[in-house]
Amino acid sequence: MMETILLEVATPDRLLVSEPVREVQIPTSHGYIGVLPEHAPLLAELGIGVLSYVTGNETKRIAVSGGYVEVRPERVRVLADVAEPSGEIDVERALAALKRAEERLRHPEPGIDIARAINAMRRAQARLAAAGRPVEK
Amino acid sequence: MPSLIDLRRRIRSVRNTQQMTRAMKMISAARLRRAQDRVIAARPYARILRELVGSVGAALRSDEELFHHPLLVRRPEQRIQLVLITADRGLAGAFNSNLNRQAEQFLASHHESEVVIEAIGRKGRDYFRKRDVPLSGAHVGLAGRAMYSDVAPIADRLIERYATQQTDAVYLLYNEFKSMLSQKPVVMRVLPIEIPEETEQREYIFEQSPRQLLESLLPKYVRLALYHAVLESTAAEHAARMTAMDAATTNAGELIEKLTIYMNRVRQTSITRELIEVVTGAAALE
């Protein structure tokens, strides 16, 4: 039984993570999946949310949105359109984006794209969650 | 014979130019390093995406209908889209002129079909605009700091025009970064997409239908190909400029040396002449 599984997280601009992890939680477009070493091969679309993984005794979090997940028994590859590790997240900006999106949804003007506003809101929530800020309601 | 003052002025001017070319060389060296880092940083995503397209493609190989996907269908190439990626700025040796020449050759060798150029970079745009070649679009100010998010919309328009059969093929023409000293124009077809061969077959659990997955993968593949070409071209541009400016700095050094020797000779001549005048003057008095 393998102890760890190789996790690779890449965006078009750079490779973010490439290290063995004990487990990883991934937001797919159909909900979160948990992956442990020797998982069955799987392909899925990446959703919007927080990807978290355990290495050593640490849990690290990355806000991701859009892309793909490929799981093989020995490795997990995540191709994300956007990925921000918790340390790089600008909480102020995410809060502002969240407020803007909520405002837009609360008072929908004709001509705005509801789906886009919802996605913007979810991205902002994911960033806040990854940064360790619980989303207050 | 030029006067001493003229020569001094000339040397000073060449020295100024040399300082400029040397500074440009340094700047290019720094930018090249950054551009190279970006090319390297973008590689893992590109590699994984290619393998992914291969895997999904392999899983669907038996699917007849798949091959009628708008981005995979090959048709006679009557209307060709050529994406010409040049630099925005010159002073980079033959970097831009090589590309424009290649583009002309491409036009000549595809004269039986209609070729429309989309220019990324000012140099290519200006070149073909001056020759009244119609462009389908021009993008200036991208090279150097192009982010994926800048390039993706351009790719999306190419994809749309292809999918709606306004074009039958899309080619990229750009300078490939071979090494510091060599940049080579390459022509690459991005549409229709050729699904890369995947050697190892694997049974996947699909969260979505594989078709759906492939349909969203294919446009990304094209976007990434364009992004990659822009990054390569940027690295090549800085390498070319660095080489060109290095050569210019050396040439300026040689010119300064030659002019200095010439100037010394002129000065020596005038000293000699003055001496002769003094000596003949003194001799005449005796």
Side-chain angles (χ1 to χ4, degrees):
Chain A
M1 175 81 197
M2 282 188 296
E3 290 271 295
T4 58
I5 183 163
L6 179 69
L7 172 68
E8 289 183 300
V9 181
T11 65
D13 297 310
R14 61 187 170 149
L15 182 66
L16 246 78
V17 180
S18 176
E19 58 180 310
V21 301
R22 289 213 310 250
E23 65 166 284
V24 51
Q25 301 281 335
I26 303 165
T28 71
S29 55
H30 287 38
Y32 276 84
I33 56 167
V35 177
L36 293 170
E38 295 186 26
H39 192 284
L42 173 139
L43 273 175
E45 240 174 307
L46 193 65
I48 299 172
V50 181
L51 181 147
S52 61
Y53 59 97
V54 184
T55 80
N57 296 319
E58 248 188 307
T59 301
K60 291 184 181 157
R61 288 188 294 262
I62 303 177
V64 294
S65 87
Y68 308 93
V69 186
E70 184 207 30
V71 181
R72 291 190 181 189
E74 73 288 353
R75 64 155 198 248
V76 182
R77 285 161 151 189
V78 178
L79 288 180
D81 294 344
V82 182
E84 296 167 90
S86 52
E88 286 178 18
I89 291 168
D90 185 339
V91 175
E92 293 297 311
R93 245 188 73 192
L95 273 174
L98 179 61
K99 203 167 281 170
R100 212 164 42 237
E102 283 176 343
E103 200 56 40
R104 212 164 280 165
L105 287 173
R106 209 165 291 138
H107 311 285
E109 288 163 34
I112 73 152
D113 192 339
I114 299 277
R116 244 183 86 181
I118 290 175
N119 278 339
M121 185 178 78
R122 288 181 56 210
R123 275 198 301 274
Q125 283 169 344
R127 287 213 293 276
L128 290 173
R133 292 267 310 227
V135 184
E136 58 239 63
K137 267 285 132 197
Chain B
M1 205 199 286
S3 75
L4 263 183
I5 294 174
D6 284 344
L7 278 171
R8 280 216 189 93
R9 211 174 274 150
R10 180 89 202 279
I11 290 175
R12 207 179 313 133
S13 135
V14 175
R15 190 163 287 141
N16 278 341
T17 309
Q18 189 190 29
Q19 263 165 14
M20 219 114 75
T21 56
R22 189 178 289 136
M24 283 181 78
K25 180 188 140 192
M26 306 283 215
I27 294 169
S28 292
R31 292 205 174 137
L32 170 63
R33 210 166 313 127
R34 222 173 312 144
Q36 261 179 305
D37 287 347
R38 293 185 62 196
V39 172
I40 291 165
R43 249 173 223 162
Y45 187 96
R47 178 174 45 83
I48 298 172
L49 187 65
R50 191 167 48 241
E51 287 176 21
L52 216 54
V53 171
S55 305
V56 180
L60 285 166
R61 201 141 292 255
S62 48
D63 190 341
E64 264 307 305
E65 243 182 275
L66 172 77
F67 292 92
H68 300 303
H69 186 281
L71 299 187
L72 297 172
V73 181
R74 298 197 64 161
R75 31 179 195 261
E77 299 185 356
Q78 281 164 356
R79 280 148 309 169
I80 298 173
Q81 173 89 65
L82 180 68
V83 184
L84 175 64
I85 306 174
T86 58
D88 278 344
R89 306 205 290 160
L91 291 182
F95 183 86
N96 294 306
S97 47
N98 271 350
L99 275 177
N100 289 335
R101 190 159 355 106
Q102 278 283 319
E104 291 272 18
Q105 266 171 29
F106 187 92
L107 292 181
S109 62
H110 292 81
H111 59 88
E112 72 283 359
S113 24
E114 182 193 329
V115 182
V116 182
I117 295 176
E118 178 104 2
I120 298 181
R122 179 175 289 126
K123 288 290 168 179
R125 180 197 70 177
D126 291 353
Y127 182 88
F128 284 101
R129 196 179 264 175
K130 221 174 283 165
R131 281 157 186 76
D132 284 328
V133 177
L135 302 176
S136 60
H139 312 273
V140 164
L142 258 182
R145 55 180 152 274
M147 301 299 290
Y148 179 70
S149 50
D150 300 322
V151 177
I154 302 175
D156 287 344
R157 261 211 312 288
L158 298 175
I159 293 167
E160 203 205 298
R161 279 206 290 269
Y162 182 79
T164 53
Q165 311 215 350
Q166 292 175 56
T167 56
D168 301 317
V170 179
Y171 288 85
L172 304 183
L173 172 54
Y174 63 100
N175 267 315
E176 192 184 27
F177 178 77
K178 302 271 296 183
S179 73
M180 289 299 252
L181 295 174
S182 135
Q183 300 83 37
K184 214 177 104 229
V186 286
V187 178
M188 192 178 84
R189 198 188 75 204
V190 288
L191 280 169
I193 296 170
E194 195 103 39
I195 290 192
E197 285 291 328
E198 177 72 356
T199 41
E200 50 177 321
Q201 282 271 8
R202 213 167 255 273
E203 293 293 314
Y204 285 101
I205 307 169
F206 285 95
E207 285 266 293
Q208 280 88 5
S209 84
R211 288 196 50 128
Q212 222 181 333
L213 208 56
L214 193 73
E215 264 163 31
S216 81
L217 270 168
L218 291 178
K220 247 179 212 154
Y221 195 58
V222 179
R223 274 181 223 143
L224 203 79
L226 186 65
Y227 178 62
H228 181 77
V230 171
L231 287 187
E232 282 263 345
S233 161
T234 307
E237 176 193 340
H238 292 308
R241 183 165 299 121
M242 206 181 104
T243 316
M245 288 300 115
D246 186 52
T249 308
T250 315
N251 287 346
E254 277 167 22
L255 191 58
I256 289 172
E257 220 163 275
K258 250 185 240 158
L259 282 172
T260 310
I261 290 171
Y262 187 50
M263 182 187 74
N264 289 342
R265 196 172 298 143
V266 170
R267 198 186 55 200
Q268 191 59 55
T269 322
S270 74
I271 291 169
T272 314
R273 200 178 48 230
E274 276 169 36
L275 270 179
I276 291 171
E277 276 165 18
V278 171
V279 171
T280 39
L285 283 179
E286 273 173 18

